[in-house]
Amino acid sequence: MHRSLFASFALYSAALLLTLFTLAPLVWLVLMSISSPNDLTSVPLNWWPTEVDLSRYGHLVDLNNGAGHRFLAALRNSLLTAGGATLIALIVAVPAAYAFSRRGASLALLFVFLATIMMPPITYVLPLYEIFGGLGALNKTTTLIIVYSAMLLPFATWLMKSNIDVLPVEIEQAAFMEGASTAFTLRRVVLPLALPAIAATCMLSFLVAWDEFFYALIFTSDLSAKTLPVAIADFSAGRVTDYGVIASVGVLATLPPAILAICFQRFIVSGLAAGSVKG
Amino acid sequence: MTNNLQKKERTAVSSNPILAVENLSKSYGDLRILKDVSVAIEAGDFLVLVGPSGCGKSTLLGCIGGLTEVTSGNIQIDGQDVTHTDPAKRDIAMVFQSYALFPNMSVGDNIGFGLEVRKVPKAERDKKISQVAELLKIEPLLDRAPAQLSGGQRQRVAMGRALVRDPKLFLFDEPLSNLDAKLRVTMRTEIKRLHQRLNASIIYVTHDQIEAMTLATKIVVMKDGVIQQVGTPREIYDTPANIFVADFMGSPAMNILVADVTMDGLMARIEIAREDGQEPLILYDPNPGEGIASRPAGALKIGLRPEALTDLGSRSVNAEQQFDCLLDVVEPAGSDTFAVIRLGGTEVTARMHGDVDVNSGDTVPICFDLSKISYFDPKSGERL
Amino acid sequence: MSAISRSREKWVLLFPAILVLSLITVLPFLQTVWTSFTDAEITAREQQVNWIGLENYIWALTDPDFLEALGRTMYFTVVSVGLEGVLGIAVALLLNQKFRGRWFLRVIIILPWAVPTIVNAVAWRLIYHPDYGALNSLLLQLGFIDSYTSWLGDPDRALNMVILADVWKNFPLVAYIALAAMQTIPGDLLKAAAIEGAGAWKRFHSITLPWIIGPMLVVLILRTIEAFRVFDIIYVMTRGGPSDGTKTASFYVYQEYFSYLRSGSGASYAVVVAGISAVLILAYYAGIRRDQRGA
């Protein structure tokens, strides 16, 4: 079908508008991070930096700089927390997913699992806070890892279950027939076959944990455990007068998920679709 | 493995069945897949479960293998009740329709998987794998991945995986149905040769009656979860237990037609109506058997294999029972020529010489051989 | 495998997951419910906790501030999810057309989704900045406004500005799911409709929309559940202000707990929030079942 000139014009205008709407806030965040403080405080703004100023990034990766010290500590905590929680969630989720997919565990139970992450965390955070407080476990990366793995677990179980569902069951039956136990079959047969699914699940889980703010805000109180989102909130609320610093922290915190999202878009989109729509 | 010797001794001294299935039923909710099935085989038997799709044959195999839980009844393998035993502990091996090879392992690792599970040392494992590979002529493939193999090669690997452990019982679930027609015939021969050579006990599921006939030492014909007949291929072919078996086994199918059967002395007089004002066909069966002789005269269903209706000069025929018949359709098939004739209100197939010179619409003499005629109750369809 | 060992094994496989979820979410939630019937407070010293029955609930349900916070949360939820739905479908329609550069647009659309929630909040706070913000500068330079405006300083406007930031981050998810659903529409169906003379709107209305409505419903309810708990973006952008203009339910409960240290009454608010969430969650499952029956 041929499009009329008007339709083409409308189409490309809409595409341009969408591109601007999507990219403008991001581009501006990047520009802020490399503009001089003077450019950022002129009225009206100096949109294009008079000179490219990368010094903030330099400071942020410098342990001896105050901001850098805080940023790098938060980065370390975020990596540890998100990575650790993803690992634990996967280790717990895979057997559970197998039980749902192949051992006839009731799907109602899976829905209960999922309901736990749909409940607002505010509805159970206080008892948790008091329990961890009583154990002297507040402000510890380990505590956050445990809480995050509970947060990631239902979705990871769900995603792995839908992926195990589509593996050919005869291959597992063959393994059982050959005398393998369930654990052996999981390790030697199911996991290798589900590797792409595991990778996708890990990635999505990591991104969710990387993004988490609420628990981190409540359970952490200083550099030893604060994650990037909390550190960024601190930066933006604190005494920093140079908005470019906040912007550059934001850019750095966005880079890992943005790169993952662009590189593994197909994975992520199908994972999100499976996770949110398919029942 | 170490129990090989013991096993051979055991099977030699006892005549216990290697597999005994007793009163097995399987239901999914209200749906009854298997209804009170009992079957047993001796060591060395090649049992083929055959029937149309949905007859329960694969479910029965699944129950024997332990992949499907049974609803009631019990299963014994070599005298041991295994009804509720893990498949892993039944000492059986299975070849799946889809081959079910482990895609992440090499051919060699696939074959050796069961040995790896049993912690057989690497050296011994490799020795057994290469023995089996030699037997199946797949030595050059051992390092390849299953994805790199052709269908026939995968089939061999799947069999290799089953053979390497020397289990008590082999289960085959439609193993040839994913192969093309030519390869299927080759592999069929190969499986038969393996069975003869290893004297293994095999249970084999198929919907292909030719596979059943060629491979089995014993056939079980199933329909709707009920066993219709158990017997050797010859018994099943020559004396089908009912019209279903008669119709299902053999290609082209057995001709089933309605006839009036009366006793004329010791012979049965069989009168078959014809169409278009033609005189009825009168045939005589010299040995009708007690069942027919003692029955009041009346309409019965009779079964005649296509090879019982043939042209003159073909095989050894009783030229006395010879009638001119109109050939509705003639279908040359190379070694045979099949002709469709309208008889007894239905279409029947005659099997004539391959080089006979006839055409559709010809009227030619057809000889009727009643030595293997079957009689069926017209209502129940059971053999008389 | 035998029935007994199979079902036992099922529980072995499930046990770690059940343990983690029970300890981290289910039991604390039950504790919250229990606390909501008491006058507990958060203190460092030993305290006498008294069972006070429904008193907290009576208080909560007659507390105009809390009810306003609930209303505000619903406003936030309905408007942002509604906008995400409309924008998501519009973007999916656009991305479902063939045009040069479509792949690029399809790729970059994921970026807002990838931006961490907190970074999103910080970025938009800077954009809305009353003195040096990009929005002010842009609108001024384009001549839409005469002087800089305090976008987040006006209690009536602040929530809408937060909604805009939230929609920017969350429309990609809706758009991708709408697009995925649209891509399963058989091309022949739309072609046949076009040949029959159905215009673009008619085709959208009678073919595309009914086709994608199932998945859309499910994803929008899921977004509703998420939007209803909104906290992070509020915390960073406005802290509930100005004059409580953006104080949502989660934020309200948070303050009751951690600013006023009243865990008993905070818990009763939390249980009310949980009740509303439970209704939404049940709606979500109903939506999934409906969607699957339709498929």
Side-chain angles (χ1 to χ4, degrees), chain C residues 23-80:
Chain C
L23 290 181
I24 304 298
T25 56
V26 178
L27 292 178
F29 178 71
L30 296 178
Q31 168 79 31
T32 300
V33 174
W34 186 82
T35 308
S36 71
F37 294 106
T38 70
D39 61 357
E41 294 185 358
I42 303 174
T43 59
R45 58 191 161 74
E46 279 300 304
Q47 58 166 339
Q48 176 72 37
V49 174
N50 300 305
W51 177 270
I52 56 169
L54 289 173
E55 205 173 298
N56 285 327
Y57 287 95
I58 294 164
W59 175 255
L61 294 175
T62 53
D63 174 1
D65 290 345
F66 178 60
L67 295 180
E68 256 176 54
L70 276 183
R72 222 172 274 127
T73 311
M74 287 184 191
Y75 175 82
F76 174 88
T77 304
V78 169
V79 175
S80 61

Side-chain angles (χ1 to χ4, degrees), chain C residues 41 44 56 70 116 123 144 184 187 197 224 235 274:
Chain C
E41 294 185 358
N56 285 327
L70 276 183
F144 286 112
T184 64
T224 303
Y235 182 90

Side-chain angles (χ1 to χ4, degrees), chain A residues 3 12 19 21-22 28 45 47 92 103 111 117-118 120 123 126-127 182 211 236 243 246 265 276 279, chain C residues 9-10 32 98 100 105-106 116-117 122 125 129 137 141 168 176-177 218 229 263 277 284-285 288 292:
Chain A
R3 242 190 304 262
Y12 281 96
T19 312
F21 177 66
T22 306
W28 178 235
L45 280 169
W47 294 102
V92 177
R103 289 288 178 271
F111 284 152
I117 39 165
M118 294 192 210
T123 59
L126 189 67
T182 301
D211 192 37
S236 81
Y243 301 120
I246 303 171
Q265 187 168 25
S276 59
Chain C
E9 191 183 72
K10 172 174 88 187
T32 300
K98 282 202 181 82
R100 226 169 292 165
L105 210 47
R106 278 191 185 178
T117 311
V122 167
R125 205 174 81 139
H129 198 284
S137 183
Q141 280 166 320
W168 182 78
Y176 276 120
I177 286 177
V218 174
R229 64 160 80 154
S263 46
S277 299
Y284 172 68
Y285 289 145
I288 282 184
Q292 288 199 322

Side-chain angles (χ1 to χ4, degrees), chain B residues 40-323:
Chain B
I41 65 167
E42 304 292 321
D45 262 343
F46 195 129
L47 178 82
V48 174
L49 303 174
V50 68
S53 61
C55 72
K57 56 191 190 299
S58 288
T59 308
L60 177 56
L61 194 74
C63 290
I64 295 170
L67 298 173
T68 309
E69 286 167 26
V70 308
T71 307
S72 66
N74 74 77
I75 299 167
Q76 290 176 24
I77 293 177
D78 202 14
Q80 300 227 315
D81 188 327
V82 296
T83 316
H84 298 292
T85 307
D86 269 10
K89 295 178 187 137
R90 295 188 183 199
D91 197 6
I92 50 180
M94 183 154 172
V95 177
F96 291 83
Q97 180 172 9
S98 62
Y99 318 131
L101 300 180
F102 309 122
N104 54 315
M105 301 179 201
S106 70
V107 166
D109 287 347
N110 260 283
I111 295 176
F113 184 85
L115 303 175
E116 186 195 332
V117 170
R118 285 168 181 73
K119 301 200 170 66
V120 174
K122 180 103 172 76
E124 196 184 333
R125 232 193 297 165
D126 287 344
K127 204 176 101 203
K128 289 199 173 242
I129 292 169
S130 63
Q131 279 171 0
V132 167
E134 195 189 327
L135 183 71
L136 294 168
K137 306 186 198 79
I138 48 173
E139 296 125 301
L141 307 179
L142 284 178
D143 291 326
R144 296 221 196 140
Q148 297 168 288
L149 306 182
S150 70
Q153 290 168 331
R154 286 179 206 190
Q155 174 66 64
R156 282 167 202 268
V157 176
M159 293 201 318
R161 187 171 64 188
L163 289 172
V164 75
R165 281 191 292 119
D166 196 12
K168 283 188 189 132
L169 197 57
F170 291 92
L171 310 182
F172 285 76
D173 187 9
E174 308 222 12
L176 304 183
S177 59
N178 286 350
L179 301 178
D180 64 53
K182 203 167 171 186
L183 200 51
R184 200 158 16 188
V185 174
T186 320
M187 287 307 295
R188 200 168 72 198
T189 312
E190 195 117 349
I191 291 175
K192 180 139 190 164
R193 186 177 297 131
L194 272 174
H195 173 246
Q196 286 165 351
R197 185 162 158 190
L198 302 169
N199 199 29
S201 311
I202 295 177
I203 304 184
Y204 185 108
V205 164
T206 181
H207 61 266
D208 178 347
Q209 49 89 20
I210 297 178
E211 257 173 49
M213 292 295 292
T214 48
L215 289 171
T217 59
K218 194 171 182 180
I219 293 178
V220 170
V221 185
M222 294 182 68
K223 181 198 172 198
D224 298 336
V226 177
I227 292 183
Q228 303 293 312
Q229 187 173 9
V230 182
T232 64
R234 185 49 50 201
E235 285 164 357
I236 300 269
Y237 191 77
D238 289 344
T239 57
N242 54 38
I243 291 182
F244 171 78
V245 176
D247 185 54
F248 189 76
M249 301 298 288
S251 175
M254 183 184 260
N255 299 307
I256 308 287
L257 36 145
V258 180
D260 266 325
V261 180
T262 48
M263 290 306 291
D264 185 352
L266 289 175
M267 295 201 286
R269 178 179 180 277
I270 301 164
E271 182 177 332
I272 303 168
R274 290 212 270 184
E275 290 174 357
D276 306 330
Q278 288 177 287
E279 284 175 29
L281 219 71
I282 313 281
L283 302 170
Y284 288 94
D285 176 8
N287 304 302
E290 197 51 37
I292 298 304
S294 60
R295 234 184 119 87
L300 291 181
K301 286 197 171 168
I302 61 165
L304 288 170
R305 294 278 174 201
E307 55 267 31
L309 282 66
T310 188
D311 54 317
L312 275 172
S314 157
R315 301 181 180 85
S316 60
V317 294
N318 178 355
E320 287 167 23
Q321 309 225 35
Q322 173 193 326
F323 297 90

Side-chain angles (χ1 to χ4, degrees), chain C residues 81 223 266:
Chain C
V81 173
R223 281 291 311 133

